[in-house]
Amino acid sequence: MQENREQWATKIGFILAAIGSAVGLGNIWRFPYVVYSNGGGAFLIPYLCAIFTAGIPLLILEYGMGHKFKGSTPLSLARANKKFEWIGWWPIISSSVILCYYSMILSWTIKYMTMSFTKAWGQDSNSFFYNDFLKLSDSPLNFGSIVWPILIGIAIIWIINWFICYKGIKSGIEKTSKILLPSLLVIMIIIVLRGITLEGASVGLNILFTPDWDKVKNPQVWIAAYGQVFFSLSIGTGIMMTYSSYLPKKTDINNSAFMTAFANCGFEFLSAIGVFAILGVMATSQGVPMEEVVTGGIGLAFIAFPKVFTIMGVWGNILGVLFFSSLVFAGITSSVSLVEAISSAIIDKFGGERKKVVTYMCLIGFTTSIVFASNAGLYLLDIMDNFINNYGIVVVGLLEAFVMGWIIKPKVIREHTNKISYFKIGKWWDVIIKYVTPTLLTIILVQSLINEFKNPYGGYDLVSLLLYGWAIIALGIIGGLLISKKTWKNSRVDNISSEEIV
């Protein structure tokens, strides 16, 4: 085992870094729309069930694995059972792809943050985004040319990622998390406080939180709740096991998992209030029903919000800068965690000094990201993100639960975390890991596959879906299997003694 594995300076540093990883762009632009379209206030019931029966148990599993086996995700799984090392490499490969297109989205947010000072998107934010800013081509297979402002933004993001991870755990990631996360919270509170005091805000909030109890009976709403919790907590991406591997021997793992999940949950609801208050303002000022202005994802951030900022006078400039700053801060804390998960796995497997590995990885990452600065960048993001989230990450979570539930046995992790945690988890956790989580994730996976074959995603042609979707899934599986065949340079896996494992 590595003798000099770096550690977090403080427990709060780890918690903030973990929350920073979980709190990403999806909390701000995905969660509000998911709540709205799945029963409003009634969505709280399946959402909280999902937190307790999937989110927190899986966080305990990943924290416990990383802490007990003291390694990155592939190393932790290899130490648990060498046969399943490849499962640890799959999320690392997926995270590498995510990191490349994530840098493109963050490039957009940086540019829009600067444009907020003058509202440079003009009166037609929709046309500006697709035609003037992205210069979007007519097909995922038509790359066109490089959009230089986007490429420059991508370079800036990779430099930030490199600088933070180059500095290490204590001096880089921990210090950055202690600055960015509180700043993000303050910004979001300002947006919410101003948003709810504007005329029309109550219209948006009423639409958001008015419960539609009939929807609670709909299985699709429950699937949406579990999907949201799973995706928003950075589970199945290789991050949480890696982060927990840097914890000191005596750390309250169980409590840390609860704190991370609830902090992430709280931020999601805070974001939802701010987003729907501002959308209510937009609907009121334009005299249209909320249904016409509500949207999620990229449409919300780069089309709907710029449109409402345009009609808000000076406050539109201020809220625009704050809103896009919040996206930048949320995105950086997440992208840094992806860089760390990938570089830690490489260092563990192949050896090498952190600074060199991070430098080479960021150079390769930036070079790969150039394709996303092309006129087809949005198409590539859309297809890859759908397949990685709906298939890659879900299957990894399912395999983790299966391996720990049926091969390694949950008791191994439960007894380890209970020894060092103030709050003890009982045998109910074993039941969740063995039966509940695998069943729920299987349902989500089957549902996604049925939808995929009934209606191919996004109406894209089969070649594009095979090239940018299914090929990425295959890359994760085949790449994981091939890398797992290589011998470990930096860490002993076989025949390690019980004293070497915490």
Side-chain angles (χ1 to χ4, degrees), residues 124-165:
D124 189 348
S125 58
N126 187 77
S127 176
F128 175 84
F129 179 65
Y130 291 114
N131 301 326
D132 302 329
F133 182 61
L134 295 183
K135 297 179 171 56
L136 193 63
S137 68
D138 58 0
S139 154
L141 302 172
N142 179 10
F143 290 93
S145 58
I146 295 296
V147 182
W148 288 100
I150 295 176
L151 183 60
I152 291 167
I154 289 173
I156 291 169
I157 291 301
W158 276 105
I159 290 168
I160 292 170
N161 285 336
W162 168 80
F163 179 77
I164 294 169
C165 291

Side-chain angles (χ1 to χ4, degrees), residues 264-277:
N264 178 71
C265 176
F267 187 83
E268 284 186 323
F269 277 98
L270 184 66
S271 300
I273 292 168
V275 165
F276 267 78

